[in-house]
Every structure is written in structure tokens, then in C-alpha cells.
Amino acid sequence: MTVSTSVDAEQAWKDLQRIRVPQERVYDEFERSASGGRGVTYGTAALMWMFLAGVGMELPGWGVGLFVAAYVCLLSVLIVMSSRRSRMQLHHTRCPGRMWAASGAVAVLVGGAIVLADHLTEPLEPVYAGLIQATAGVAVYLLSLAPANRWAADAVRSGGVPADDEEAGR
């Protein structure tokens, strides 16, 4: 049994746009909230710089432990403040593997920059070497964070399907 109904193309297009525009707004808001805003990004970068510069000063074991505890505490406070302010809460299934891959890639890049800067600054005094390592690590973090967030947010916008697969499905 086949049921045929006439479809008004213009009305169908209007209905699609009425649905699509709010959906696009959700994705736009997700892209804006993916990084947490400039304040969170720069706050994290400042904390990272202070931590890396402090650890580079060759502190005693208890000093490094205290420094790590303070860093984790301040970073946790920054995360809690950011999550309370966030207006966007997505279901956990809408956070694709690309988000984890992007975070991991940024971490690997920053870690690589710190290790490379460590090898290049070995002949320098510890204070200067620590400052250079901290600056290099934070610079790589700031330069790689925005592209990584855009790449991860594109997966949410496309529903996790690569652009080539979407076009092939049409």
C-alpha cells in the first residue's frame, strides 16, 4: 500500500530552514563554548607559564610537590568557574572522539615543544632555561588551541560524519 501526498516544495523549504536555523545556532554556540572563551584560554596559559617557569628553577622535591599541588588547585578552580558560567551543556554522546583527539594532539605538541626547548636550553642557567621553556610551551598551546577546537567542533556540526561522506549520502 503506497500513500502519496503532494509536497509543496516552497513550504518544505521553509520548514527545513525553520528547523535548520536553530540547529545552526546550537552548533555556533558549541563552537564558541568549546574553548571556554578568551579568559579561560589566557588564564590557563598564564597558569601554565607560571608552573613551567617555576618548575624550571630547579626547586627541591617538596617545592616541586607544592608547586604541582598549587597548579592543580588553581587549574581546578578555573575549570569550575568556567563550567558554571557555560550556558551550553551537551549530552555526552555529542562530544565525539575528535574532541579527545584534539586535546591529545595539543598536549603532545606542547609537551614536544617543552622537551625540545629543554634540549636547546641545556647550556643556559636554569632560570633562563625555565623561562624559555615556559614561553615556548605556552606559545605552542595558544597557537594550536584554536585550530584544534575548530576541528573538533566541525565534527559536532556535521554529526560526526566527514564532509565527503555527507556529500556521498545525498
Side-chain angles (χ1 to χ4, degrees):
M1 178 169 117
T2 306
V3 178
S4 67
T5 57
S6 62
V7 176
D8 181 14
E10 186 174 331
Q11 184 60 40
W13 178 255
K14 287 178 184 177
D15 290 343
L16 177 65
Q17 294 306 312
R18 191 185 64 215
I19 294 167
R20 191 176 194 171
V21 169
Q23 182 181 21
E24 289 297 315
R25 287 185 186 144
V26 168
Y27 292 144
D28 290 343
E29 180 64 25
F30 176 78
E31 285 180 22
R32 279 192 294 277
S33 68
S35 67
R38 288 185 185 188
V40 174
T41 300
Y42 291 135
T44 304
L47 280 174
M48 182 188 308
W49 189 89
M50 289 188 305
F51 174 73
L52 292 172
V55 169
M57 291 184 194
E58 293 187 357
L59 299 172
W62 63 269
V64 172
L66 187 63
F67 224 71
V68 169
Y71 177 68
V72 169
C73 182
L74 289 173
L75 199 56
S76 298
V77 167
L78 189 65
I79 290 168
V80 167
M81 287 174 39
S82 171
S83 67
R84 285 186 180 162
R85 192 184 61 199
S86 175
R87 298 180 322 199
M88 184 93 180
Q89 296 292 328
L90 293 178
H91 190 270
H92 66 89
T93 58
R94 295 298 291 167
C95 296
R98 270 194 187 188
M99 296 183 103
W100 296 108
S103 299
V106 170
V108 167
L109 285 172
V110 170
I114 292 168
V115 169
L116 180 64
D118 182 43
H119 287 301
L120 293 175
T121 59
E122 279 181 18
L124 297 176
E125 290 184 37
V127 174
Y128 297 123
L131 294 175
I132 292 170
Q133 291 168 20
T135 303
V138 169
V140 169
Y141 170 75
L142 289 174
L143 291 173
S144 61
L145 189 63
N149 281 340
R150 264 186 256 116
W151 180 72
D154 283 344
V156 174
R157 182 179 291 279
S158 66
V161 179
D164 295 339
D165 292 346
E166 277 183 10
E167 292 174 7
R170 289 183 187 166

